Amino acid sequence: MSRFLRIGLFSICLVVLMSLVSITDVKAQGPLTEILRRMDGNNKSLQSLKADLTMDKFNSQLGIHDPPNIGSTSYLPKTASHAMYVRIDWDKPVQEKVSVMGDNYELWQLRLNQVIYGKTKQAANGAAAGNALGFVSMSRAQLNANYEVIYLGDEKLSSGTDTFHLQLTPKTKTSYKSAELWVDVDGMPRQAKIIENNNDTTTVLLANIQKNVTLNASIFKLPYDPKKVKRIAG
């Protein structure tokens, strides 16, 4: 699988973490009602976020894990004055930087000295591995219409964080089978997993989360020299 499709799978997971916090209209019973209430409260209070990231890709056919991607992210939610901004800085195993600003994305591959760019909707339609970046443009109503949400129980993450474990199953056919989400007691999503139709998985863990820190919008513009890199339409 190409590095670009791997980033696409990551983007699904990340935007699951960012966007699904606003689900409130799902019919729920028992603990799920309270979990969704906390998630909605967290979403309404979240003005910005910084966190460390780890992405794990598992090949079910070979039974092996790829080397984990390790990096960090910065996030500003959509407001009346600006679109949603996401920046991802991968440090290992290779250096790559991703920026999503509203409907536009860029993926800067430093080793190859090239930038892949385009519209998020086009990326979603063009990436076979799970509709890359597709969740970025989804509204709350679309999420509610597209998923069945089930509470699977309480679970402690590898980081030691106590979480509620949720399963999200698409109501219509997609290029992946289902998603799972781990939410902490404050309603903050900490980990997401995408299960593909062939049972391969991509899991993203957020750690060292800093909420409502000051972020300058300029950091979401990748600092490459357009005269010195090759730009490729995605």
Side-chain angles (χ1 to χ4, degrees):
M1 183 181 294
S2 71
R3 295 289 303 172
F4 176 62
L5 293 186
R6 292 178 194 278
I7 294 299
L9 280 168
F10 163 77
S11 300
I12 289 176
C13 288
L14 181 62
V15 181
V16 165
L17 287 169
M18 301 304 186
S19 298
L20 292 182
V21 295
S22 63
I23 296 178
T24 59
D25 300 324
V26 178
K27 292 182 180 178
Q29 296 180 349
L32 185 55
T33 302
E34 175 61 18
I35 295 167
L36 297 178
R37 187 192 68 78
R38 294 185 189 188
M39 291 171 69
D40 190 54
N42 175 77
N43 181 63
K44 289 177 179 177
S45 67
L46 189 64
Q47 300 176 15
S48 67
L49 180 145
K50 292 185 68 176
D52 294 334
L53 295 175
T54 302
M55 179 175 72
D56 174 79
K57 174 67 180 175
F58 177 69
N59 185 310
S60 62
Q61 287 71 44
L62 299 178
I64 59 174
H65 292 263
D66 288 352
N69 285 58
I70 299 173
S72 60
T73 188
S74 298
Y75 166 74
L76 286 175
K78 181 179 179 179
T79 68
S81 61
H82 65 74
M84 183 182 76
Y85 294 166
V86 178
R87 173 159 169 175
I88 307 153
D89 292 277
W90 292 122
D91 299 319
K92 298 178 181 180
V94 296
Q95 282 192 310
E96 293 181 337
K97 299 180 184 296
V98 184
S99 174
V100 177
M101 299 177 68
D103 294 331
N104 301 297
Y105 77 90
E106 290 187 324
L107 165 61
W108 181 15
Q109 299 173 312
L110 279 73
R111 183 181 61 176
L112 301 176
N113 196 35
Q114 68 182 24
V115 174
I116 299 172
Y117 69 93
K119 296 292 185 180
T120 55
K121 289 184 179 180
Q122 294 170 349
N125 293 333
N131 290 329
L133 297 172
F135 283 105
V136 170
S137 60
M138 279 192 177
S139 67
R140 179 196 304 182
Q142 288 173 313
L143 287 166
N144 289 337
N146 290 327
Y147 291 95
E148 297 287 351
V149 183
I150 298 174
Y151 167 64
L152 297 179
D154 297 351
E155 189 169 328
K156 188 182 292 290
L157 296 180
S158 59
S159 61
T161 303
D162 291 321
T163 63
F164 306 111
H165 187 185
L166 306 179
Q167 180 183 67
L168 298 95
T169 303
K171 293 180 179 179
T172 58
K173 185 178 180 180
T174 64
S175 57
Y176 58 95
K177 183 187 301 184
S178 62
E180 296 181 22
L181 193 65
W182 287 259
V183 181
D184 69 20
V185 295
D186 295 321
M188 179 68 205
R190 293 296 191 113
Q191 180 171 279
K193 177 191 285 187
I194 298 296
I195 300 94
E196 300 173 55
N197 288 317
N198 64 357
N199 291 320
D200 287 357
T201 64
T202 300
T203 304
V204 173
L205 173 68
L206 274 67
N208 298 321
I209 293 173
Q210 303 175 58
K211 298 181 184 180
N212 300 334
V213 294
T214 300
L215 295 177
N216 192 313
S218 64
I219 70 169
F220 297 95
K221 182 175 176 58
L222 299 181
Y224 62 85
D225 185 341
K227 296 179 180 179
K228 296 182 180 179
V229 301
K230 181 179 181 180
R231 286 176 55 82
I232 302 171

